[in-house]
Amino acid sequence: MRIRHLPETLINQIAAGEVIERPAAVIKELVENSLDAGATQIDIDIQDGGKSYMSVSDNGYGMSAEELVYCLDRHATSKLPDDDLLNIRHLGFRGEALPSIASVSRMLIKSKSRETGEAWSISAEGGKKGIPVPDNHPQGTKIEIRDLFFATPARLKFLKTDRSESTAIKDIVLRLAMAAPEVGLTLNLDGKKILNMPPSALAERLGRLLGRDFPENAMTIEALREDLQITGLASLPTYNKGNGLAQYLFVNGRAVRDRLLLGALKGAYSDVLARDRYPVVALFITLPAEDVDVNVHPAKAEVRFRDAVRIRGTLVSAIRHALQEQAGRSAGSTGTQTLVKLAASSPQPFAPHKEFIPTSASQLYSGMSALKIKELSESAQAFYQPLFTPTPSARSEPFPTIAVAEPSTTTHPLGAARAQLHENYIIAQTEDGIVLVDQHAAHERLVYERLKAQQQETGITAQGLLTPEIVELDDLRIGDLLQHTEILKEYGLDIEPFGPGAVAVSSVPALLGATINIRQLIHDLMDELEEHGTVQTLEERLLAVLSRRACHGSIRSGRAMTPEEMNHLLREMERTPLSGQCNHGRPTYIELSLKDIEKLFMRR
Ligand code: ADP
Ligand code: MG
């Protein structure tokens, strides 16, 4: 067989395989082109999930007749004026999208160039280009795509239902709309206008796209480290989801799904959210173009940072800082939501918001023997005992519901305890409202913070193994793991190379206990290293143990408390960082202002 050059159309179809996997990818490329062309208004029209028809029209600077011919050529672009791949200032730069799309569909481009003032159109079918003809078109460009993948039937078969292709398009448009709030955008799906957004400020656009309650339940993130800037909104821990889909990240205006950044987010919230819950974020990272390589992924969805450690560190500390400063707000905003629900005369007042129930206590104990639970409970007793000094009789006697121990005026932020209801909810009176506390959730947080502080003081204890455990690993990844031995040692995990293809583990963190499956732990660490480049797993596991202890060592719901105990709990909460939510992201208390209550009773 002789070597030959492939025909141009085939080359473009091969490229289309990478760049254009589904209709949503076409929309992404076309809208990015419109943004690059300086458009202030972009209109998108879709039929049948994009399979039969898609169009994107803009009021950007347009193309001349000559440019219309060029734009369909492979690797023809106006966006790399200096041939410098390290200085990319546009969303596009490969000159691949239009020829790729044209090679697998029927395309029509109409455009009026700002420079020439003339309007022309050109069409292409399965990669065969027509010639430009004069046309009638207002300023800007409209690109229509019909019968996507008609020229590559094998590809067509991989498309999902219209509905799920439409969903993917909506998601892409959402991300593009967030990245460019100053641009007006409309989206028509099968003749129905499902999105109509005027140019707006970022916060307003985020509210429209992610729901008005998102900004209300989010912390403002603002971090500036030399030439690295991170801004945007990140949800309070109490506003969380069961998957990470609502984590919108942008690097220099480009929507990315970057493992490093997603891993950093997970780490930043690890202390206030259960493992399987995810915060909602819209974060914008801006840094010099030469510090980030966007040329690592055909659809440009991933990026590579020159100094990944710095980006990660800045993101984690910006969020943790915000959590310390602003997380107390979760109570207030949850209160407002409660109010909205009450006002809507929900048949079950105070029914907890579904979003706020990330995990159940039984889930926490699953897999633990009764003996273990008893052991944990006993050891934890010692921790929470000093938080209270209840008299033995007060503890055994059921306590009357109405409690008056603090003066009736109080300046404490969480007020004076007035009553305990259903043996779990403390009602406290503040200067201008009321506070409702979930005693178990609140106490759990206190005990957890206490355990953590204690661990910080004493350091993590390592437990030596009688005989080192040998774990076999593949050679390729072993080097990665050994690069982290120092930090692992700080956590009590001692690893040394043990001949080719194995490591010897001589100690483990005492907290994890002697029965821990070491082989599994090492493999999990390696997987994490591969995926996120960090060894968070270990810290998370240790915290999970503390969290389990805290949960078990906390005052259960169903236990009557004395006024002194209740007030003591409130004061401890005021002193404890992050006491607005339990370790799983549920709120520990909600606050209703008198104003809100008056509104509820229509006194205002
Ligand atoms: P890239 O965006 O990587 O340059 P494309 O294949 O997406 O490659 O587009 C090729 C060229 O066509 C662009 O560089 C640009 O000059 C021109 N172009 C594409 N879409 C538009 C548009 N909507 N308005 C003006 N010019 C456009
Ligand atoms: Mg492009």
Side-chain angles (χ1 to χ4, degrees):
M1 250 187 293
R2 292 179 63 89
I3 295 181
R4 67 178 180 117
H5 286 283
L6 295 177
E8 185 71 12
T9 304
L10 199 58
I11 294 176
N12 283 329
Q13 286 178 349
I14 291 172
E18 282 196 318
V19 187
I20 308 298
E21 18 69 93
R22 62 195 302 187
V26 173
I27 294 302
K28 170 174 180 290
E29 293 295 339
L30 297 183
V31 173
E32 286 190 349
N33 280 345
S34 296
L35 291 171
D36 280 345
T40 56
Q41 178 67 39
I42 300 176
D43 301 298
I44 308 166
D45 216 329
I46 307 287
Q47 263 158 39
D48 309 313
K51 292 174 190 168
S52 60
Y53 180 84
M54 291 180 269
S55 80
V56 172
S57 61
D58 65 54
N59 61 354
Y61 51 62
M63 285 179 272
S64 66
E66 193 188 21
E67 286 171 318
L68 280 182
V69 179
Y70 286 161
C71 77
L72 291 173
D73 287 345
R74 193 167 155 74
H75 298 316
T77 179
S78 54
K79 303 172 190 173
L80 272 184
D82 316 318
D83 293 350
D84 184 359
L85 272 180
L86 287 179
N87 188 8
I88 289 167
R89 303 196 176 274
H90 292 95
L91 294 166
F93 58 90
R94 289 169 182 252
E96 253 181 346
L98 292 189
S100 302
I101 301 167
S103 73
V104 294
S105 69
R106 299 180 226 274
M107 181 189 269
L108 175 66
I109 311 181
K110 292 183 178 190
S111 192
K112 182 179 194 172
S113 155
R114 195 169 285 166
E115 257 168 42
T116 64
E118 292 171 12
W120 292 79
S121 67
I122 192 169
S123 59
E125 197 168 316
K128 281 186 208 65
K129 261 196 303 194
I131 50 161
V133 288
D135 208 318
N136 232 336
H137 193 70
Q139 178 58 52
T141 304
K142 176 171 187 176
I143 302 190
E144 293 181 296
I145 313 289
R146 290 193 162 77
D147 309 323
L148 183 70
F149 298 138
F150 89 94
T152 46
R155 194 88 207 189
L156 198 56
K157 290 202 195 110
F158 282 92
L159 289 183
K160 307 227 169 83
T161 58
D162 292 3
R163 200 187 149 84
S164 85
E165 294 301 340
S166 296
T167 305
I169 290 173
K170 279 190 262 182
D171 184 61
I172 284 282
V173 172
L174 191 85
R175 287 169 199 272
L176 290 160
M178 277 187 219
E182 71 287 355
V183 176
L185 228 143
T186 64
L187 172 62
N188 273 307
L189 273 186
D190 297 316
K192 250 209 266 145
K193 188 163 278 185
I194 66 154
L195 210 68
N196 184 5
M197 280 177 301
S200 42
L202 177 66
E204 190 190 326
R205 178 148 299 183
L206 290 181
R208 290 181 76 130
L209 291 170
L210 298 177
R212 252 195 323 143
D213 58 346
F214 172 59
E216 281 168 20
N217 283 282
M219 313 178 290
T220 310
I221 306 293
E222 286 269 14
L224 184 62
R225 298 275 149 81
E226 291 145 39
D227 48 15
L228 167 66
Q229 191 189 23
I230 302 181
T231 57
L233 295 178
S235 69
L236 294 163
T238 42
Y239 189 87
N240 55 54
K241 295 217 182 275
N243 61 43
L245 293 180
Q247 303 192 325
Y248 301 97
L249 298 165
F250 303 84
V251 175
N252 288 351
R254 190 187 299 278
V256 295
R257 282 207 72 71
D258 185 80
R259 290 179 311 157
L260 170 99
L261 299 177
L262 294 174
L265 271 184
K266 193 161 175 264
Y269 279 87
S270 62
D271 217 13
V272 285
L273 268 185
R275 268 177 92 92
D276 56 348
R277 303 302 299 179
Y278 299 80
V280 179
V281 308
L283 291 172
F284 300 80
I285 300 173
T286 317
L287 72 172
E290 57 271 20
D291 285 352
V292 50
D293 189 354
V294 291
N295 189 23
V296 293
H297 188 268
K300 293 164 274 166
E302 282 177 23
V303 292
R304 195 178 294 140
F305 297 104
R306 200 148 78 172
D307 188 351
V309 176
R310 182 165 82 111
I311 313 284
R312 191 193 145 82
T314 310
L315 182 58
V316 171
S317 69
I319 291 181
R320 290 209 172 145
H321 182 75
L323 283 170
Q324 296 282 348
E325 299 256 299
Q326 304 175 44
R329 267 183 48 220
S330 37
S333 44
T334 320
T336 313
Q337 283 162 17
T338 313
L339 202 72
V340 171
K341 286 206 159 177
L342 286 177
S345 63
S346 144
Q348 285 170 295
F350 287 97
H353 196 301
K354 279 217 170 52
E355 285 284 304
F356 299 150
I357 310 176
T359 181
S360 64
S362 60
Q363 222 172 312
L364 273 174
Y365 298 121
S366 68
M368 260 201 261
S369 68
L371 194 71
K372 186 81 190 159
I373 294 177
K374 184 164 173 283
E375 194 184 296
L376 286 179
S377 151
E378 278 166 7
S379 71
Q381 288 273 343
F383 283 104
Y384 81 81
Q385 204 73 19
L387 282 179
F388 305 98
T389 44
T391 54
S393 65
R395 275 175 90 212
S396 47
E397 299 277 307
F399 195 79
T401 324
I402 303 299
V404 189
E406 292 253 336
S408 62
T409 54
T410 173
T411 53
H412 293 302
L414 293 182
R418 285 284 170 265
Q420 184 197 30
L421 305 182
H422 295 285
E423 297 187 321
N424 187 47
Y425 300 100
I426 298 169
I427 293 189
Q429 179 176 332
T430 61
E431 261 179 320
D432 60 353
I434 62 172
V435 161
L436 187 64
V437 179
D438 176 334
Q439 75 185 35
H440 175 63
H443 196 221
E444 182 179 320
R445 182 86 219 174
L446 300 190
V447 177
Y448 180 55
E449 290 295 331
R450 200 169 239 257
L451 287 168
K452 264 192 337 185
Q454 203 209 36
Q455 193 183 53
Q456 246 156 30
E457 259 169 46
T458 58
I460 295 166
T461 349
Q463 179 173 332
L465 302 175
L466 285 178
T467 47
E469 175 141 345
I470 311 302
V471 181
E472 305 206 331
L473 298 167
D474 58 89
D475 265 5
L476 279 177
R477 298 198 300 165
I478 230 169
D480 276 355
L481 185 68
L482 290 177
Q483 275 181 6
H484 292 79
T485 43
E486 285 295 303
I487 175 144
L488 293 177
K489 203 170 181 158
E490 281 171 32
Y491 284 109
L493 190 68
D494 216 334
I495 300 181
E496 280 173 16
F498 190 80
V503 292
V505 180
S506 54
S507 78
V508 294
L511 257 185
L512 294 187
T515 54
I516 168 194
N517 183 335
I518 295 175
R519 192 185 160 276
Q520 186 69 52
L521 175 69
I522 299 289
H523 278 269
D524 287 357
L525 279 170
M526 304 252 291
D527 289 347
E528 201 202 4
L529 267 178
E530 201 170 43
E531 200 184 337
H532 297 302
T534 61
V535 286
Q536 235 160 265
T537 290
L538 203 54
E539 186 185 353
E540 273 177 18
R541 283 187 195 206
L542 294 177
L543 290 177
V545 174
L546 293 187
S547 166
R548 253 196 318 261
R549 285 197 180 175
C551 183
H552 204 77
S554 308
I555 329 171
R556 316 262 87 212
S557 48
R559 165 138 115 58
M561 286 171 76
T562 67
E564 290 78 14
E565 281 180 316
M566 289 192 261
N567 281 307
H568 197 89
L569 182 74
L570 296 178
R571 302 294 81 79
E572 279 288 326
M573 286 171 71
E574 286 157 3
R575 272 197 291 275
T576 304
L578 300 173
S579 63
Q581 56 276 309
C582 77
N583 327 339
H584 315 113
R586 289 189 298 265
T588 54
Y589 68 97
I590 60 172
E591 199 171 359
L592 293 177
S593 70
L594 267 187
K595 236 196 279 173
D596 286 339
I597 298 171
E598 282 165 4
K599 259 196 227 143
L600 196 61
F601 289 103
M602 297 181 184
R603 281 167 172 265
R604 275 182 181 256

